[in-house]
C-alpha cells in the first residue's frame, strides 16, 4: 500500500511496469503469488506516473496540492510540484523498506532474547506477517531490504540535487534534511564503513537543513527544558534522532582513527571525534528520556480510546502537555477544530484561485479588507463568496 503513494495523491491510479528478468525483488506475497519487480522498474514507474500527472489533459485529475503542517496551501509551480512529489514518493518507499528491515531485526532480536529465558530489555516486537524465521535467512533478508532502501533514498537525493525546481526548496522545507538522516541511518544499518564519511557529511547537511526550520535557539532551549524536566516540543524527536546518529557515526570514526595510527595529529583528531560522539549521545539520551517520560504507554492508550486518534497523535499531544492527559485531550480537540478551519480555508482558497503570476494564492485576508472598502460585507468580491467561513460540503476537499 505504501508503494501506491502516487495513486493516493493523484487519483489517477498506479500501474507498475511488467517484471524483468534481472535484479528482481519480491515485493509482496498474496495468496501464494509473488509480485516480482525490480527496484529500477519501480523507480521508473514513479517518474512515469509523475509525468502522466503533469501532462494529463484532465485538470481535475492532474491537480494535487501541497500543504504545510498547519494545513495551509503552499504556493508552488506545477513543475516544482511534480519534482517534489517524485522526490517524496521515492523517499517514502525507501523509508518503508527501512522500517520493514528494522522491524524484522527487532523481532529477531527479541525472539532470541526471550528464548534464552532472559528479559527482553524493553524491546517491543511488532508483528510481521512475512518474516522468514528459517536459520540464516534473517540476515540475508535484512541486508536485502536495507540495500534496496538505500537505492530509493539515493534516487530521491539525486532528484533533489539534479532538479533545478527543487534547489530553492532545500532551505524552505525539512524534507531534504530528513532524507539525509535516512540515508545516514541506512549506511549504519548496512554496517558500511566505506559509507561512513558520506554518512557524517550527510548528517552535517541534515543538521543545517533542520536548524533552518526552527528558531536559532530551539535546540539550546529544548536541552535546557529537558534538564529541568519541563515539556519539550514533539519536534525534538527529530533532533534526538540526529544527535543519536551523529554520536554513533563519530564513535565508529573514532575507533577507526584509533586503529589507523598513534601520531600526535591522529591523537588530537581522535580526541575531537570522541568528544563529538559523547556530546551527540548525551544530547540524544537527554531528549529521549524527556520525550518518553511525558508519553507513558497507558496514557497513550487511554487517549486513543477516548478521542479515537492514532497513537502518534496521542504521543504528540502528551509531549506538548508534559504528560498531563487532560491537557493533552484539550490539545487534540483544539487541533481538530484547527484542521476543520484549515480545510474550509483551502476550499475558499481554491475558489479564489491564484494570482496573475500563476504561483501565489490570493491573500484571503486582503480579500476581506478590500470587500469592506468596497462595501461587500461578506467578503464576496467578484460574487464568489470566497470570504465566507461556512461549510462547503459540495466542494472537492
Amino acid at each position: 500500500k505504501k508503494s501506491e503513494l502516487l495513486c493516493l495523491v493523484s487519483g489517477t491510479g498506479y500501474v507498475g511496469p511488467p517484471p524483468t528478468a534481472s535484479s528482481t525483488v519480491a515485493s509482496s506475497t498474496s495468496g501464494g503469488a509473488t509480485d516480482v519487480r525490480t527496484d529500477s522498474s519501480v523507480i521508473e514507474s514513479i517518474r512515469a506516473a509523475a509525468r502522466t500527472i503533469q501532462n494529463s489533459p484532465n485538470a481535475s485529475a492532474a491537480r494535487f496540492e501541497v500543504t504545510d503542517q498547519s494545513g495551509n496551501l503552499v504556493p508552488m509551480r506545477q513543475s516544482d510540484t511534480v519534482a517534489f512529489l517524485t522526490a517524496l514518493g521515492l523517499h517514502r518507499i525507501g523509508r518503508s523498506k527501512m522500517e520493514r528491515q528494522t522491524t524484522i531485526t527487532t523481532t529477531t532480536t527479541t525472539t532470541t532474547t526471550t528464548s534464552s529465558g532472559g528479559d527482553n530489555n524493553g524491546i517491543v516486537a511488532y508483528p510481521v506477517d512475512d518474516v522468514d524465521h528459517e536459520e540464516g535467512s534473517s540476515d540475508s533478508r535484512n541486508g536485502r531490504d536495507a540495500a534496496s532502501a538505500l537505492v530509493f533514498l539515493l534516487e530521491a537525493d539525486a532528484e533533489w540535487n539534479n532538479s533545478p525546481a527543487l534547489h530553492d526548496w532545500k532551505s524552505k522545507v525539512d524534507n531534504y534534511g530528513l532524507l539525509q538522516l535516512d540515508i545516514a541511518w541506512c549506511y549504519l544499518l548496512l554496517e558500511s564503513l566505506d559509507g561512513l564519511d558520506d554518512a557524517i557529511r550527510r548528517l552535517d547537511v541534515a543538521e543545517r537543513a533542520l536548524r533552518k526550520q526552527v528558531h536559532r535557539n530551539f535546540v539550546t532551549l529544548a536541552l535546557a527544558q529537558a534538564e529541568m524536566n519541563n515539556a519539550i516540543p514533539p519536534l525534538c524527536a527529530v533532533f534526538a534522532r540526529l544527535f543519536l546518529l551523529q554520536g554513533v557515526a563519530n564513535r565508529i570514526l573514532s575507533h577507526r582513527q584509533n586503529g589507523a595510527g598513534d601520531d600526535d595529529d591522529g591523537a588530537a583528531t581522535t580526541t575531537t571525534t570522541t568528544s563529538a560522539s559523547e556530546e551527540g549521545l548525551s544530547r540524544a539520551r537527554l531528549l529521549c528520556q524527556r520525550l518518553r517520560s511525558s508519553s507513558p504507554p497507558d496514557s497513550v492508550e487511554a487517549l486513543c480510546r477516548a478521542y479515537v486518534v492514532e497513537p502518534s497523535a496521542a504521543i504528540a499531544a502528551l509531549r506538548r502537555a508534559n504528560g498531563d492527559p487532560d491537557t493533552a485531550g484539550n490539545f487534540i480537540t483544539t487541533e481538530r477544530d484547527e484542521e476543520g478551519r484549515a480545510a474550509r480555508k483551502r476550499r475558499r482558497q481554491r475558489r479564489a484561485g491564484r494570482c496573475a503570476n500563476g504561483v501565489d494564492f490570493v491573500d484571503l485576508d486582503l480579500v476581506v479588507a478590500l470587500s469592506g472598502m468596497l462595501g461587500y460585507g461578506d467578503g464576496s468580491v467578484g460574487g464568489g463568496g470566497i470570504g465566507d467561513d461556512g461549510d462547503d460540503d459540495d466542494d472537492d476537499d
Side-chain angles (χ1 to χ4, degrees):
K1 291 182 179 179
K2 291 179 180 178
S3 66
E4 305 291 340
L5 175 66
L6 290 176
C7 175
L8 297 177
V9 175
S10 68
T12 60
Y14 174 95
V15 180
T20 57
S22 60
S23 303
T24 57
V25 175
S27 59
S28 62
T29 303
S30 176
T34 302
D35 179 16
V36 181
R37 293 197 297 261
T38 64
D39 286 345
S40 59
S41 65
V42 175
I43 292 171
E44 180 55 33
S45 68
I46 293 176
R47 299 185 187 279
R51 291 191 296 269
T52 300
I53 296 172
Q54 184 180 23
N55 300 324
S56 174
N58 187 347
S60 61
R63 189 190 73 185
F64 55 89
E65 297 162 335
V66 179
T67 64
D68 58 18
Q69 295 182 356
S70 300
N72 300 316
L73 291 174
V74 177
M76 186 179 292
R77 293 182 177 85
Q78 178 71 4
S79 59
D80 295 8
T81 308
V82 172
F84 192 57
L85 181 59
T86 302
L88 290 184
L90 293 169
H91 185 186
R92 190 64 190 91
I93 294 180
R95 182 67 185 271
S96 66
K97 288 177 176 289
M98 288 178 61
E99 292 172 351
R100 179 184 180 186
Q101 192 272 346
T102 306
T103 304
I104 294 173
T105 303
T106 306
T107 306
T108 305
T109 304
T110 307
T111 304
T112 304
T113 305
T114 305
S115 63
S116 62
D119 185 19
N120 62 3
N121 297 322
I123 298 176
V124 179
Y126 297 94
V128 181
D129 295 335
D130 56 350
V131 175
D132 190 351
H133 295 289
E134 294 182 5
E135 182 179 359
S137 62
S138 61
D139 291 340
S140 175
R141 178 70 169 275
N142 293 346
R144 186 172 68 232
D145 286 337
S148 179
L150 184 60
V151 171
F152 285 93
L153 295 176
L154 291 177
E155 284 291 331
D157 182 68
E159 186 72 25
W160 276 99
N161 292 323
N162 297 333
S163 175
L166 296 180
H167 180 73
D168 294 335
W169 287 98
K170 289 183 180 180
S171 59
K172 295 181 181 179
V173 296
D174 59 1
N175 300 83
Y176 183 68
L178 296 176
L179 173 62
Q180 304 308 310
L181 284 183
D182 286 335
I183 293 176
W185 183 19
C186 209
Y187 279 134
L188 296 179
L189 287 176
L190 290 170
E191 301 178 3
S192 174
L193 290 179
D194 293 337
L196 180 60
D197 294 334
D198 188 38
I200 294 176
R201 180 189 65 81
R202 290 182 182 277
L203 290 173
D204 291 338
V205 173
E207 183 172 10
R208 291 194 297 270
L210 293 174
R211 284 183 180 270
K212 288 181 179 179
Q213 309 305 317
V214 297
H215 190 274
R216 62 180 181 178
N217 294 325
F218 176 86
V219 174
T220 303
L221 293 175
L223 292 171
Q225 293 295 321
E227 290 178 348
M228 295 185 292
N229 291 326
N230 293 332
I232 59 177
L235 183 59
C236 291
V238 176
F239 287 93
R241 184 177 171 216
L242 169 66
F243 296 145
L244 176 61
L245 289 172
Q246 286 178 330
V248 172
N250 284 315
R251 177 68 61 86
I252 298 174
L253 180 61
S254 176
H255 288 312
R256 189 174 71 175
Q257 291 171 346
N258 283 333
D262 298 328
D263 58 323
D264 293 339
D265 293 339
T269 304
T270 301
T271 303
T272 303
T273 306
T274 303
S275 176
S277 172
E278 293 176 352
E279 181 183 12
L281 292 176
S282 62
R283 285 183 170 187
R285 185 182 301 108
L286 178 61
L287 294 177
C288 283
Q289 288 175 346
R290 188 70 210 118
L291 290 170
R292 288 181 175 178
S293 63
S294 62
S295 55
D298 55 342
S299 298
V300 173
E301 185 178 355
L303 281 178
C304 290
R305 290 199 307 265
Y307 293 92
V308 194
V309 294
E310 295 292 330
S312 58
I315 291 173
L318 284 168
R319 289 172 175 174
R320 292 175 59 190
N322 201 18
D324 184 11
D326 294 333
T327 306
N330 292 333
F331 279 134
I332 293 175
T333 303
T334 302
E335 286 182 354
R336 283 178 174 172
D337 294 339
E338 291 176 351
E339 289 175 359
R341 286 194 293 270
R344 291 193 293 271
K345 184 177 180 180
R346 287 197 300 271
R347 288 195 289 268
R348 300 198 313 271
Q349 193 79 74
R350 296 189 193 108
R351 289 201 301 270
R354 298 178 183 263
C355 298
N357 61 9
V359 178
D360 297 318
F361 290 97
V362 173
D363 191 330
L364 297 181
D365 295 332
L366 294 180
V367 170
V368 175
L370 182 59
S371 298
M373 294 173 59
L374 299 178
Y376 296 94
D378 59 352
S380 57
V381 172
I386 57 179
D388 186 12
D389 251 343
D391 291 332
D392 299 299
D393 295 335
D394 57 330
D395 287 334
D396 179 26
D397 191 2

